[in-house]
């Protein structure tokens, strides 16, 4: 059997039956063979997963009741007591927004399990909520089932509560937790293994730092993935040191880099298909709910940009909406989600190219199975494809019945045959000439949304493939219109005055002998102070009363010197100091947002000292902005 026929045979085996039938009926005209797959190809599960596009993340647990982003692991389970947990209303909101599902933080780094697990005593059965008979995982799983959207689970490998964490003993517990979630709650579409690992924690009372060295080795991710596949073969595994199906998009701002390849080890013999997922929060307050977060919600336009920079680059988007202490979503977040959903729906509502005439520089074997019009038939499986040898300078043209104005072009590759296209450009026939309307196209993959600088009005558009790893296989060429901004329905929510965060104080009298420190109060987030040491001492110019402070980490993308453990001291003479707060700024590396520290009382001082008790990469402490709060 030739290599080609082996590939073709394998290809036909994994192609779904419906798609296969489609090929056969077209192929019968002159029966050119489909191209061989190029590089790594996705599994059927990965293909289906990519078509989900976006879904919700829900952070809700013990941190909701402490205001923290990372619990230490010593929190009293009695703290968890939502007054009105309502999973159905949340799930209905996600469904109405067009989200494909949701992923719930069944256990965060604090180790508190939100289902009555047998694996550890640190779980919801110890909480007064529903007299210890509650199960948040069940609540969400059942609501998703009822509403017909998918349910997934986040299970933090790092467990700051468990006495055995960092030792072999913990691994059995963790395995047990995975087993329970996958066995007792119906289909789990995605298991999320967070990458944050090791460090300070309670660890059964030891209160120490535990490092696990190589996470892949310690957790035996390969074995865990095998376990997951044995219980739920269709479950997509996120993270797990790339033994799974999907990896982190690389930031918590909801974008992936472009060009975006859904493979690792590109062009190497061990190339492997791993898709990307971009994660972010709907507001700038953090992953868990925080008082006053309503004022920090992202605008619909900002969220739409997140959509372009994630889904529109070939990844999936997981968008976080935290639940508050009552057990409901924040109305400000919901209003923003609804506005985003409306914009997304409008964007996708009309594809001007559907059903239009299409032609191409060449069609594989002149076979209708690979004709140009496959890219405008609205069928995601059929595709246009030239001969094997054609890997550059080939084109696909759409001829519209009348001129239309569009400013977004969506392209898709038939990813079952691998991700192929390396670069392309878009042209429109304007004033009697072909003119480039986008000369920067790189990868396509599952889909790319190219937003043009301004709307183009024409009846002829061309996609020119300038470089492809193998002959391109284009399954969709769509012309869309970016929607007008949608206003957030502010009438649907009001910020509770008691939730308002304290106001920042004026900083015009501040002086300091610490070199460069004034950049930490120049009102410009893009500049920053970074010391050789770890202290920033400020003379306030007069005695000031305040009750907290904010710390904005460097915003330039370099995390060296971002402070992750702080101490805050005050003085009346600049000589004798008193510590009034200390603690951690959790998750600052991945999510460098504004950190707010509120003291338990108001203090008076003429001097303050911000001390980076620990800063990332062991560098001197730094700050983009520091403010005092009243
Ligand atoms: C991070 C965690 O450390 C955050 O707390 C959050 O859960 C986010 C989704 O992942 O790595």
């Amino acid at each position: 059997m030739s290599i080609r026929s082996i590939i073709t045979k394998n290809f036909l085996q994994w192609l779904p039956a419906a798609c296969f039938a489609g090929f056969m009926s077209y192929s019968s005209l002159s029966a050119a063979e489909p191209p061989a797959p190029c590089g790594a190809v996705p599994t059927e599960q990965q293909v289906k997963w990519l078509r989900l596009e976006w879904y919700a993340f829900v952070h809700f647990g013990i941190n909701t009741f402490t205001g923290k982003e990372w619990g230490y692991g010593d929190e009293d389970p009695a703290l968890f007591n939502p007054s009105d947990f309502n999973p159905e209303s949340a799930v209905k909101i996600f469904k109405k927004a067009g989200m494909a599902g949701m992923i719930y933080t069944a256990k965060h780094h604090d180790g508190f399990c939100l289902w009555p697990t047998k694996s550890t005593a640190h779980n919801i059965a110890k909480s007064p909520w529903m007299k210890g008979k509650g199960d948040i995982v069940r609540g969400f799983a059942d609501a998703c089932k009822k509403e017909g959207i998918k349910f997934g689970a986040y299970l933090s490998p790092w467990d700051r509560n468990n006495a055995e964490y960092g030792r072999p003993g913990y691994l059995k517990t963790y395995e047990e937790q995975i087993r329970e979630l996958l066995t007792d709650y119906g289909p789990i579409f995605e298991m999320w293994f967070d990458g944050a690992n090791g460090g300070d924690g309670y660890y059964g009372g030891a209160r120490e730092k535990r490092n696990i060295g190589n996470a892949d080795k310690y957790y035996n991710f390969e074995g865990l993935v095998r376990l997951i596949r044995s219980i739920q073969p269709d479950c997509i595994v996120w993270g797990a040191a790339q033994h799974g199906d999907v990896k982190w998009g690389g930031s918590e701002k909801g974008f992936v880099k472009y060009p975006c390849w859904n493979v690792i080890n590109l062009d190497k013999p061990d190339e492997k298909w791993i898709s990307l997922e971009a994660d972010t929060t709907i507001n700038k307050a953090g992953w868990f709910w925080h008082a006053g977060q309503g004022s920090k919600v992202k605008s619909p336009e900002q969220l739409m940009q997140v959509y372009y920079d994630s889904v529109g680059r070939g990844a999936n988007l997981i968008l976080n909406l935290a639940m508050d202490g009552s057990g409901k979503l924040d109305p400000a977040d919901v209003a923003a989600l609804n506005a985003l959903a409306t914009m997304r729906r409008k964007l996708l509502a009309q594809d001007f190219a559907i059903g239009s005439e299409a032609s191409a520089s060449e069609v594989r074997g002149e076979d209708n199975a690979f004709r140009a019009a496959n890219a405008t038939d609205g069928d995601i499986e059929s595709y246009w494809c030239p001969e094997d040898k054609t890997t550059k300078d080939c084109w696909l043209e759409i001829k519209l019945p009348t001129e239309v104005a569009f400013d977004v072009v969506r392209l898709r590759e038939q990813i079952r045959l691998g991700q192929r296209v390396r670069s392309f450009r878009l042209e429109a026939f304007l004033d009697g000439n072909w003119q480039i309307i986008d000369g920067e196209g790189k990868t396509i993959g599952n889909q790319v949304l190219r937003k043009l600088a301004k709307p183009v009005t024409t009846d002829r558009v061309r996609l020119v493939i300038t470089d492809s790893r193998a002959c391109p296989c284009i399954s969709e060429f769509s012309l869309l219109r970016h929607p007008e901004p949608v206003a957030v329905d502010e009438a649907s929510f009001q910020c509770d005055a008691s939730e308002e965060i304290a106001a920042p104080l004026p900083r015009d009298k501040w002086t300091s002998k610490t070199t460069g420190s004034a950049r930490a109060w120049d009102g410009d987030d893009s500049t920053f102070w970074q010391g050789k040491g770890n202290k920033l001492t400020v003379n306030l110019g007069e005695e000031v009363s305040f009750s907290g402070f904010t710390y904005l980490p460097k915003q330039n993308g370099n995390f060296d010197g971002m402070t992750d453990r702080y101490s805050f001291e005050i003085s009346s003479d600049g000589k004798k100091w008193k510590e009034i707060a200390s603690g951690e700024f959790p998750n600052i590396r991945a999510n460098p947002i504004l950190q707010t520290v509120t003291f338990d009382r108001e203090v008076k001082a003429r001097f303050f000292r911000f001390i980076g008790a620990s800063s990332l990469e062991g560098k001197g402490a730094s700050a983009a902005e520091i403010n005092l709060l009243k």
Side-chain angles (χ1 to χ4, degrees):
M1 205 185 275
S2 71
I3 290 182
R4 186 184 171 95
S5 53
I6 292 170
I7 292 169
T8 309
K9 186 165 166 270
N10 289 344
F11 166 69
L12 294 177
Q13 270 169 0
W14 50 253
L15 209 63
C19 171
F20 175 48
F23 281 129
M24 289 310 282
S25 58
Y26 282 130
S27 306
S28 54
L29 294 176
S30 70
E33 282 192 26
C38 165
V41 294
T43 61
E44 187 54 28
Q45 286 85 350
Q46 285 170 316
V47 171
K48 286 197 176 127
W49 178 86
L50 269 169
R51 308 234 155 119
L52 300 178
E53 276 201 10
W54 72 318
Y55 31 86
F57 216 163
V58 178
H59 278 62
F60 179 52
I62 209 95
N63 294 339
T64 312
F65 298 85
T66 59
K68 289 188 184 163
E69 279 287 288
W70 283 1
Y72 190 70
D74 60 353
E75 293 76 18
D76 183 349
L79 289 171
F80 186 83
N81 198 8
S83 53
D84 192 12
F85 174 57
N86 196 335
E88 275 190 26
S89 96
V91 168
K92 278 191 177 134
I93 288 165
F94 302 148
K95 187 179 175 185
K96 200 174 132 233
M99 291 174 131
M102 63 160 277
I103 294 182
Y104 171 57
T105 51
K107 178 187 85 169
H108 205 253
H109 309 325
D110 51 71
F112 184 65
C113 294
L114 280 302
W115 79 101
T117 177
K118 293 195 183 72
S119 67
T120 167
H122 196 53
N123 75 61
I124 197 163
K126 293 269 162 58
S127 135
W129 185 61
M130 294 187 73
K131 299 200 170 67
K133 297 268 179 284
D135 185 342
I136 302 288
V137 176
R138 172 92 49 222
F140 279 124
D142 287 355
C144 286
K145 197 166 164 204
K146 190 164 168 214
E147 291 303 320
I149 67 168
K150 295 186 182 297
F151 176 69
Y154 164 114
L155 187 72
S156 169
W158 184 22
D159 189 321
R160 298 174 102 182
N161 172 265
N162 198 287
E164 290 300 305
Y165 182 79
R167 304 177 186 142
Y170 169 68
L171 301 174
K172 278 199 205 77
T173 307
Y174 193 56
E175 202 179 293
E176 187 53 29
Q177 293 172 353
I178 295 175
R179 207 183 280 279
E180 285 178 0
L181 290 174
L182 290 166
T183 312
D184 300 340
Y185 295 93
I188 303 271
F189 87 100
E190 182 174 329
M191 276 296 292
W192 225 89
F193 293 112
D194 203 306
N197 275 311
D200 288 350
Y202 173 69
Y203 305 127
R207 297 187 182 275
E208 60 188 13
K209 196 167 187 160
R210 296 213 179 147
N211 290 321
I212 55 160
N214 181 329
D216 189 11
K217 237 176 158 178
Y218 174 61
Y219 296 119
N220 180 20
F221 277 128
E222 206 174 345
L224 293 181
V225 172
R226 234 178 292 124
L227 171 70
I228 295 170
R229 306 253 196 259
S230 73
I231 312 176
Q232 292 205 23
D234 289 338
C235 177
I236 286 288
V237 180
W238 185 102
Q242 309 195 344
H243 294 292
D245 309 288
V246 178
K247 65 174 188 172
W248 187 42
S251 85
E252 292 188 1
K253 291 193 177 134
F255 69 86
V256 295
K257 286 195 183 136
Y258 189 72
C260 169
W261 289 98
N262 276 248
V263 299
I264 54 169
N265 307 327
L266 180 67
D267 292 331
K268 302 220 172 84
D270 56 347
E271 188 178 305
K272 182 179 176 194
W273 187 283
I274 301 261
S275 289
L276 279 94
E277 185 190 79
D279 61 338
T280 197
T281 50
I282 200 157
N283 56 46
K284 292 183 186 149
W287 291 95
F288 283 89
W289 186 86
H290 300 279
Q293 67 170 38
S295 58
K296 294 186 181 158
V297 74
K298 293 174 188 165
S299 72
E301 278 288 282
Q302 283 171 332
L303 292 168
M304 200 57 204
Q305 194 56 47
V306 164
Y307 181 77
Y308 283 122
D309 293 344
S310 53
V311 174
R313 289 178 174 178
N316 272 3
L317 169 65
I318 177 164
L319 181 63
N320 190 67
L321 283 89
M323 267 194 166
D324 66 12
S326 76
K328 294 206 202 65
L329 298 178
D330 191 295
D333 289 356
V334 175
L337 176 67
N338 290 341
L340 167 65
T342 306
M343 287 186 76
R344 175 177 171 271
R345 246 181 223 121
K346 285 189 175 168
L347 170 74
L348 304 179
Q350 194 177 5
D351 173 0
F352 298 109
I354 289 283
S356 34
E357 243 179 73
S359 56
S361 49
E362 123 196 1
V363 170
R364 188 177 187 80
E366 293 182 13
D367 186 337
N368 269 344
F370 308 106
R371 64 186 173 181
N374 285 348
T376 55
D377 64 358
D379 176 354
I380 205 168
E381 297 293 355
S382 65
Y383 57 95
W384 161 71
C385 176
E387 302 292 354
D388 280 344
K389 63 175 185 344
T390 306
T391 57
K392 52 175 68 158
D393 305 325
C394 50
W395 51 260
L396 179 61
E397 183 181 328
I398 300 177
K399 172 91 182 64
L400 300 152
T402 53
E403 287 200 335
V404 296
F406 61 91
D407 52 6
V408 178
V409 176
R410 181 179 60 202
L411 303 168
R412 288 184 190 272
E413 283 183 83
Q414 172 45 282
I415 51 167
R416 295 176 196 282
L417 294 171
Q419 191 174 345
R420 301 169 162 242
V421 175
R422 287 186 200 276
S423 64
F424 64 88
R425 68 171 183 269
L426 294 163
E427 298 178 349
F429 199 70
L430 299 166
D431 307 324
N433 289 306
W434 283 106
Q435 293 183 22
I436 296 176
I437 52 171
D438 177 2
E440 306 286 313
K442 299 283 181 208
T443 48
I444 298 179
N446 180 52
Q447 68 174 310
V448 73
L449 293 164
R450 300 293 297 171
K451 186 155 182 295
L452 308 177
K454 55 179 180 7
V456 170
T457 305
T458 183
D459 59 356
R460 290 171 75 187
V461 194
R462 255 188 198 180
L463 162 67
V464 182
I465 304 292
T466 47
D467 190 13
S468 186
R469 299 207 291 160
C471 57
C473 299
I474 305 298
S475 64
E476 260 187 81
F477 185 178
S478 306
L479 306 177
L480 313 173
R481 190 75 207 245
H482 178 73
E484 291 294 314
V486 169
V488 175
D489 177 12
E490 288 188 14
S492 66
F493 70 94
Q494 278 179 338
C495 286
D496 179 350
S498 65
E499 279 182 11
E500 293 293 339
I501 48 163
L505 292 175
R507 298 178 288 184
D508 43 327
K509 295 203 177 107
W510 291 17
T511 55
S512 172
K513 289 189 185 133
T514 312
T515 316
S517 56
R519 281 186 225 118
W521 62 87
D522 61 1
D524 181 351
D525 293 356
S526 67
T527 63
F528 59 89
W529 156 76
Q530 182 149 18
K532 286 213 171 64
N534 66 346
K535 291 190 189 70
L536 185 149
T537 307
V538 175
N539 180 342
L540 298 168
E542 62 192 353
E543 191 178 69
V544 174
S545 306
F546 56 101
S547 49
F549 76 97
T550 57
Y551 168 78
L552 183 74
K554 286 157 68 170
Q555 298 293 300
N556 67 347
N558 294 338
F559 29 71
D560 63 278
M562 280 183 184
T563 291
D564 61 347
R565 290 201 72 80
Y566 69 89
S567 159
F568 193 91
E569 298 179 344
I570 53 172
S571 167
S572 53
D573 56 7
K575 286 179 193 135
K576 269 177 61 194
W577 294 92
K578 187 173 172 206
E579 182 182 86
I580 44 166
S582 66
E584 74 178 347
F585 292 140
N587 201 24
I588 203 143
R589 183 189 294 266
N591 196 18
I593 55 173
L594 186 74
Q595 309 290 314
T596 303
V597 176
T598 329
F599 311 143
D600 48 10
R601 67 202 147 95
E602 189 170 277
V603 296
K604 270 191 189 147
R606 195 188 160 104
F607 296 85
F608 80 80
R609 198 148 83 166
F610 172 80
I611 304 172
S614 130
S615 296
L616 299 185
E617 320 299 4
K619 292 286 165 56
S622 66
E625 287 294 299
I626 289 195
N627 257 308
L628 298 182
L629 300 172
K630 180 85 173 167

